C-alpha cells in the first residue's frame, strides 16, 4: 500500500509573541499567535490552520461524493467555525462545517436526499476529521437547495 508523506519546515523568531514562517508544498506563510489570544496576529496561526485542514478535506470529500454520483452541481460553498475553550489552558473543542450546496435545476428529489446524506458522510470519511475524532466535536449543518 502506498504511503504519502508531507513535509513542512518552520522558522521562529522570538518568544511566545514572536513570529515565524512555514513552508509546506504550496503553503508558504507567516505564523504567530492570534490577536484573540493576546498574540501579535501576524500571518496565520495553528487554529486557522486546523480548521483550514478540516474544511478543505471536508469540501473536497463532499465534492467528490457528489461528482461520483453524477449529480448536477450548480455551486458548493462552505463556512467552518472552530471553537476553542479556555479552561485551565486552551482546548480546541469543536469544528462545525456549514456547507451550502446548490444543485442544478435538473436535480431530482432522490439526488437532493443523497446530497443531504452525503453532507454528513463526508465529515465521517474525511481523513482529517478521522484524525481529530474523539478529541474535537465535529458537526455539520448543511443547506441543500435546487437552483430555480
Amino acid at each position: 500500500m502506498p504511503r504519502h508523506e508531507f513535509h513542512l519546515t518552520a522558522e521562529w523568531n522570538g518568544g511566545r509573541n514572536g513570529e515565524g514562517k512555514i513552508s509546506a508544498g504550496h503553503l508558504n506563510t507567516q505564523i504567530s499567535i492570534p490577536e484573540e489570544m493576546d498574540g501579535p496576529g501576524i500571518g496565520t496561526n495553528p487554529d486557522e490552520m486546523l480548521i483550514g485542514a478540516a474544511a478543505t478535506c471536508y469540501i473536497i470529500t463532499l465534492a467528490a461524493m457528489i461528482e461520483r454520483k453524477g449529480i448536477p452541481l450548480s455551486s458548493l460553498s462552505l463556512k467552518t467555525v472552530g471553537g476553542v475553550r479556555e479552561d485551565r489552558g486552551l482546548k480546541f473543542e469543536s469544528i462545525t462545517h456549514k456547507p451550502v450546496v446548490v444543485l442544478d435545476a435538473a436535480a431530482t428529489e432522490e439526488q437532493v436526499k443523497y446530497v443531504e446524506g452525503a453532507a454528513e458522510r463526508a465529515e465521517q470519511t474525511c481523513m482529517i476529521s478521522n484524525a481529530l475524532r474523539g478529541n474535537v466535536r465535529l458537526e455539520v449543518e448543511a443547506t441543500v437547495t435546487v437552483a430555480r
Side-chain angles (χ1 to χ4, degrees), residues 47-48 50-52 54-56 58 78-84 92-99 132 136-141:
D47 310 283
E48 291 171 347
L50 182 62
I51 66 168
T56 54
Y58 174 83
L78 176 67
K79 290 184 181 180
T80 296
V81 178
V84 175
F92 210 102
E93 187 172 61
S94 65
I95 294 176
T96 304
H97 298 300
K98 300 178 180 187
L132 297 172
V136 176
R137 187 175 67 251
L138 302 165
E139 301 172 327
V140 174
E141 297 173 4

Side-chain angles (χ1 to χ4, degrees), residues 13-53:
N13 299 307
R16 178 197 183 277
N17 285 329
E19 61 183 85
K21 60 183 173 179
I22 58 170
S23 178
H26 295 283
L27 175 65
N28 295 291
T29 189
Q30 291 183 289
I31 57 171
S32 73
I33 294 175
E35 289 180 22
E36 298 87 349
M37 295 178 176
D38 298 322
I42 299 168
T44 192
N45 59 69
D47 310 283
E48 291 171 347
M49 292 183 62
L50 182 62
I51 66 168

Side-chain angles (χ1 to χ4, degrees), residues 10 16 19 32 38 87 92 97 101 108 118 120 130 145 148:
R16 178 197 183 277
E19 61 183 85
S32 73
D38 298 322
D87 181 21
F92 210 102
H97 298 300
V101 184
T108 66
E120 293 292 329
N130 288 331
T145 60
R148 300 286 172 216

Side-chain angles (χ1 to χ4, degrees), residues 102-113:
V102 180
L103 301 179
D104 190 76
T108 66
E109 188 62 35
E110 182 179 299
Q111 290 173 324
V112 170
K113 290 199 181 312

